[in-house]
Amino acid sequence: MQRHIKVQQYLETVCSQIRCKKIHADIWEEIENHIIDQKEAYKAQGIDEEVATIKALEQMGDPVIVGTELDRTHRPKPEWSIIALTALLLITGTVIRSFTSPQELNGIELFNKQLFFTLVGLGLMVLFYHMDFTVLGKHPKTVFLLLAVVIVFLIGLSKPALGRYRYASYLLLLFPTLFAGVVYSMRNRGYTGIIGCGILFAVSFIISMVIPSTSSCVLLTLSCLIVLTIAISKGWFGVKKLYALLLVYLPVIGVLAAIFASGILSERIALAINPSIDPHGKGYTGAIIRQLLSGAQFIGQGNVPEYFQGVSAPQILPGINSDLLITYIIHRFGWLVFFITAALLILFIVRTFMLCLKQKSVLAQLVSTAITLTFAIQTIFYISVNLGFQLFGPLSLPLISQSSSYLLINMSLVGILLSVFKTGYFIKDKEDSIKTAVNPFIKFEDGKLIIYVSDGQYRHRSRHD
């Protein structure tokens, strides 16, 4: 049916007032539907088509005012709480490392290098903040496989250091975020969609084992499992949840059973719980950490064990600015500094989880959850190692510990996260593909036009305003 020229002009005028182009199509469709409904109501009263259309447009009100109000209430806004917490974490890391760097060989040089990469990371954060995160839902498999190809290419070009392809391993942190896009694209495809997600996950899993990076592999597995479990539990695949969960977790249980049977995991657990069973071998670092922490003070420098008298902690601990930064600051400055640092990280993670729950779009929910899980698991692994529980090796303490590559990856993820929180409320999933309730932009009630604002509240505007 051809659209009435006056309706076309009205809709164009409304949308021309709205700067966020992402919501133009949704607002256009919603307002047009309201106009059609109102026109049909007038026609039912015996009014002819032309007059009914004009009266329906009058009922909507001045298009400039409507568009301006929609622009004001649905303008993308930066999530300042996350920006502030990111800044605090970066500053905290910089201040801590300004004290610890002089204690390490080439520490000042590494500190200056980290400052440079912090600036580069901020640039990446801004870049990804301004990019459209919905590309992760539009071309997920392409982006996912492209990352896999890049990592394989890096493996082929580089030589392993200490048995690991380090530069390729950093990029593994991006897989959970891209996997969220894959899950989004596979929704409502039933068991086939779940199997498709599993196949792509297997690709990333195999790559992580080739590198190899056990910690990244575990992070990847946990993040992807949680994201997929959320999608299944919300019914987004349109299948029986129990069968779907069994389809996902039975293979996982089988792999875990095989690992336990091999004795590898049980040995790791035993050493993590009690590193003193092999204090001069695999349990050496864990044993040293616990001995240093046993002499730590609440405030101020702790005591070095007697048999290390005359030897400083930086000489005992490897990587006091990178892998074991938390252990060193507890020993050097006391538990209070650790508690403050941990509180900032927990606040950052909790805040991002809270914002994840507020997202109306399925894609926004999945992507933001995947990124938050990536930060949370990194933090858990890092802190547990630094407290002497070395089940898995540390990756990085997000935005704090010294690691230029991890910093760039994590800052990029923060940028994507901010992009989600900036526009996630406006992104609507197609009606035929998802069952997510999204607040309307406008509606009529008791002769008044109601324009919803982004926090779920609304403001009234009568046609005579």
Side-chain angles (χ1 to χ4, degrees):
M1 183 176 67
Q2 188 174 7
R3 185 180 293 119
H4 194 286
I5 184 63
K6 290 187 177 180
V7 174
Q8 176 83 16
Q9 291 172 347
Y10 185 93
L11 294 170
E12 288 176 352
T13 303
V14 169
C15 288
S16 67
Q17 313 304 311
I18 303 169
R19 282 168 281 188
C20 181
K21 291 182 171 54
K22 286 185 180 181
I23 60 172
H24 280 194
D26 291 326
I27 287 179
W28 183 294
E29 179 183 359
E30 196 163 329
I31 293 179
E32 185 175 30
N33 288 337
H34 281 298
I35 293 172
I36 292 171
D37 290 343
Q38 193 62 39
K39 181 185 71 174
E40 294 301 322
Y42 282 127
K43 287 173 66 177
Q45 298 174 15
I47 301 174
D48 67 71
E49 177 94 14
E50 183 68 21
V51 176
T53 300
I54 294 172
K55 289 179 71 66
L57 291 173
E58 290 176 350
Q59 180 75 25
M60 289 297 300
D62 188 326
V64 174
I65 295 176
V66 172
T68 302
E69 188 73 7
L70 285 168
D71 175 67
R72 186 168 69 87
T73 57
H74 292 85
R75 190 179 305 166
K77 299 175 183 177
E79 182 50 57
W80 290 109
S81 63
I82 299 301
I83 293 174
L85 287 168
T86 300
L88 281 173
L89 288 170
L90 288 172
I91 292 169
T92 300
T94 301
V95 170
I96 289 173
R97 283 182 280 100
S98 70
F99 285 100
T100 60
S101 292
Q103 308 300 319
E104 197 173 30
L105 183 65
N106 298 326
I108 300 299
E109 180 183 344
L110 292 172
F111 177 76
N112 292 333
K113 179 183 176 183
Q114 188 78 355
L115 282 180
F116 170 75
F117 278 100
T118 299
L119 295 176
V120 175
L122 287 170
L124 286 173
M125 184 185 79
V126 172
L127 175 65
F128 282 102
Y129 169 75
H130 287 291
M131 288 181 66
D132 183 3
F133 81 93
T134 59
V135 70
L136 298 176
K138 294 174 183 175
H139 311 287
K141 292 181 281 294
T142 301
V143 178
F144 190 94
L145 292 174
L146 180 61
L147 176 62
V149 170
V150 169
I151 294 176
V152 171
F153 183 72
L154 286 175
I155 292 174
L157 284 182
S158 59
K159 294 182 179 180
L162 299 176
R164 185 163 68 101
Y165 295 95
R166 287 181 54 201
Y167 292 105
S169 68
Y170 300 132
L171 294 176
L172 293 175
L173 290 186
L174 296 175
F175 269 129
T177 302
L178 303 189
F179 183 77
V182 171
V183 173
Y184 173 80
S185 69
M186 294 290 187
R187 71 204 188 285
N188 273 9
R189 295 192 183 182
Y191 296 110
T192 302
I194 296 173
I195 293 171
C197 292
I199 291 172
L200 286 179
F201 164 74
V203 171
S204 60
F205 182 86
I206 292 170
I207 290 174
S208 68
M209 294 303 292
V210 169
I211 284 178
S213 175
T214 304
S215 298
S216 296
C217 181
V218 175
L219 182 149
L220 174 64
T221 302
L222 289 175
S223 300
C224 293
L225 272 178
I226 293 172
V227 167
L228 191 55
T229 300
I230 290 172
I232 292 172
S233 64
K234 289 182 176 289
W236 292 341
F237 284 98
V239 296
K240 291 187 177 181
K241 297 176 184 178
L242 177 59
Y243 294 161
L245 290 172
L246 288 174
L247 179 63
V248 171
Y249 281 94
L250 283 179
V252 174
I253 293 171
V255 171
L256 285 175
I259 294 174
F260 267 109
S262 69
I264 297 174
L265 188 56
S266 57
E267 181 185 357
R268 275 180 172 267
I269 293 173
L271 280 170
I273 295 173
N274 184 16
S276 62
I277 61 178
D278 188 12
H280 302 294
K282 295 180 180 179
Y284 172 78
T285 303
I288 293 298
I289 289 172
R290 294 190 183 192
Q291 290 164 12
L292 277 176
L293 295 182
S294 66
Q297 307 294 320
F298 184 71
I299 300 177
Q301 184 162 341
N303 301 315
V304 177
E306 290 184 4
Y307 46 85
F308 280 122
Q309 290 299 323
V311 181
S312 64
Q315 294 174 304
I316 301 170
L317 289 173
I320 63 169
N321 281 301
S322 52
D323 289 348
L324 298 177
L325 179 64
I326 290 294
T327 302
Y328 182 70
I329 65 171
I330 293 173
H331 166 75
R332 176 66 180 81
F333 304 108
W335 287 98
L336 179 61
V337 176
F338 163 68
F339 291 142
I340 293 172
T341 305
L344 281 175
L345 281 163
I346 292 170
L347 184 60
F348 177 86
I349 293 167
V350 170
R351 178 58 181 162
T352 54
F353 267 125
M354 290 172 62
L355 291 170
C356 291
L357 296 175
K358 292 182 178 180
Q359 300 307 303
K360 305 299 181 183
S361 158
V362 172
L363 179 61
Q365 287 181 41
L366 292 174
V367 170
S368 58
T369 300
I371 294 174
T372 304
L373 286 169
T374 301
F375 285 128
I377 295 171
Q378 282 185 85
T379 302
I380 292 169
F381 282 4
Y382 192 95
I383 290 179
S384 63
V385 167
N386 278 256
L387 294 181
F389 188 81
Q390 294 193 307
L391 182 59
F392 302 109
L395 295 170
S396 78
L397 191 61
L399 312 180
I400 293 179
S401 64
Q402 182 170 285
S403 174
S404 303
S405 300
Y406 277 128
L407 176 65
L408 296 181
I409 296 295
N410 283 321
M411 290 296 286
S412 298
L413 291 176
V414 171
I416 298 172
L417 196 64
L418 289 171
S419 176
V420 172
F421 294 154
K422 176 183 69 172
T423 58
Y425 176 81
F426 306 122
I427 306 302
K428 281 190 174 183
D429 301 299
K430 295 180 180 179
E431 293 180 2
D432 61 347
S433 62
I434 211 68
K435 299 177 181 178
T436 297
V438 179
N439 288 338
F441 292 108
I442 63 171
K443 76 170 185 176
F444 276 108
E445 188 175 283
D446 298 329
K448 293 182 178 180
L449 177 66
I450 299 176
I451 298 177
Y452 283 85
V453 299
S454 57
D455 58 3
Q457 299 174 341
Y458 54 86
R459 58 182 82 248
H460 293 277
R461 220 181 54 77
S462 72
R463 60 175 177 168
H464 302 296
D465 288 347

